[in-house]
């Protein structure tokens, strides 16, 4: 078993990584990290005022590209890939996590127990959550070219993350994005709630 491949970067580590990156809109000024999001992504702003997300940290360390560690052992990468639909437009992170939670219930319950989830009240909530773990795994898949990363508005229960990551299988079709709110409503779910963690108790132990 290798080391865990998901790297949780602090804001200063993210800033070091961002120093070597250019604005996605082509200008060459420096990027400032505004915040590290709950999903472990960095919200950055360039000198011209463009604000956008950098993908989760796996892409920052291409030298260590390759799966391994507990996520591979648990089958997380393949389980994530299974919930994408070929030909679907850019899909908000929450849709991916919810589908994952439904399609791979035992694995999701195990991960939530291990890593905590912000939807569950916890006496000592962890900064690192199952959502940041899954987003990091998506970042790894993005670094491999297996999925595509973009950003857009967080909706419904996820609207406090703005922007939030959107994901799709390549080639990404020119179709409207699939938001959590639209997808939840189409599936009979109140988008302001997060039913995926109902009935799961947190086994997270404070470190
Ligand atoms: Zn810019």
């Amino acid at each position: 078993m290798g080391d865990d491949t998901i790297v949780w970067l602090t804001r200063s580590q993210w800033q070091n990584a961002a120093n070597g990156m250019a604005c996605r809109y082509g200008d060459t000024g420096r990027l400032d990290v505004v915040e590290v999001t709950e999903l472990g992504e960095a919200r950055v702003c360039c000198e011209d005022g463009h604000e956008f997300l950098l993908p989760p940290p796996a892409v920052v360390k291409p030298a260590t590209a390759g799966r391994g560690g507990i996520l591979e052992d648990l089958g997380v990468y393949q389980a994530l890939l299974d919930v994408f639909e070929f030909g679907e437009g850019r899909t908000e992170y929450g849709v991916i996590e919810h589908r994952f939670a439904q399609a791979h219930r035992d694995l999701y319950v195990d991960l939530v127990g291990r890593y905590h989830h912000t939807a569950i009240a916890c006496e000592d909530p962890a900064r690192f959550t199952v959502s940041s773990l899954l987003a990091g795994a998506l970042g790894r898949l993005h670094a491999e070219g297996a999925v595509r990363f973009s950003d857009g508005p967080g909706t419904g229960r996820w609207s406090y993350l703005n922007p939030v990551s959107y994901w799709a299988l390549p080639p990404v079709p020119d179709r409207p994005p699939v938001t959590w709110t639209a997808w939840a409503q189409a599936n009979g779910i109140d988008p302001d709630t997060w039913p995926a963690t109902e009935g799961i108790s947190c086994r997270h132990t404070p470190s």
Side-chain angles (χ1 to χ4, degrees):
M1 182 189 296
D3 292 333
D4 201 327
T5 53
I6 300 305
V7 182
W8 178 263
L9 297 188
T10 64
R11 183 169 168 165
S12 63
Q13 287 172 319
W14 259 123
Q15 186 60 59
N16 285 340
N19 289 342
M21 298 180 188
C23 173
R24 73 155 67 148
Y25 300 100
D27 47 285
T28 55
R30 66 178 262 121
L31 295 180
D32 280 320
V33 174
V34 180
E35 69 162 343
V36 179
T37 75
E38 180 192 303
L39 299 187
E41 301 151 352
R43 183 160 64 88
V44 297
C45 186
C46 85
E47 289 177 348
D48 287 350
H50 300 126
E51 204 171 283
F52 56 95
L53 279 188
L54 296 177
V59 74
V60 174
K61 295 199 175 266
T64 63
R67 303 178 196 179
I70 190 170
L71 296 184
E72 178 72 1
D73 295 339
L74 293 173
V76 170
Y77 294 110
Q78 191 55 52
L80 272 171
L81 286 170
D82 286 348
V83 303
F84 282 87
E85 291 177 17
F86 188 76
E88 190 172 55
R90 312 185 301 112
T91 301
E92 188 178 340
Y93 172 77
V95 176
I96 301 299
E97 183 179 320
H98 194 274
R99 285 183 183 157
F100 179 96
Q102 286 190 310
H104 305 283
R105 189 67 188 160
D106 291 347
L107 179 53
Y108 188 72
V109 170
D110 183 31
L111 290 173
V112 169
R114 288 175 194 240
Y115 295 106
H116 182 62
H117 195 288
T118 53
I120 302 175
C122 180
E123 284 185 1
D124 183 26
R127 179 85 170 103
F128 191 87
T129 65
V130 65
S131 299
S132 55
L133 183 89
L134 293 175
L138 287 166
R140 164 70 59 205
L141 294 170
H142 164 76
E144 292 178 6
V147 299
R148 293 278 189 268
F149 165 88
S150 59
D151 61 21
T155 65
R157 184 251 176 231
W158 298 92
S159 57
Y160 67 102
L161 295 175
N162 198 3
V164 71
S165 56
Y166 280 63
W167 304 89
L169 293 180
V172 184
D174 185 16
R175 299 179 60 177
V178 179
T179 65
W180 161 249
T181 289
W183 185 85
Q185 287 171 341
N187 286 276
I189 297 167
D190 176 352
D192 289 329
T193 66
W194 189 247
T197 50
E198 276 172 16
I200 306 178
S201 53
C202 178
R203 292 187 276 112
H204 166 71
T205 45
S207 54

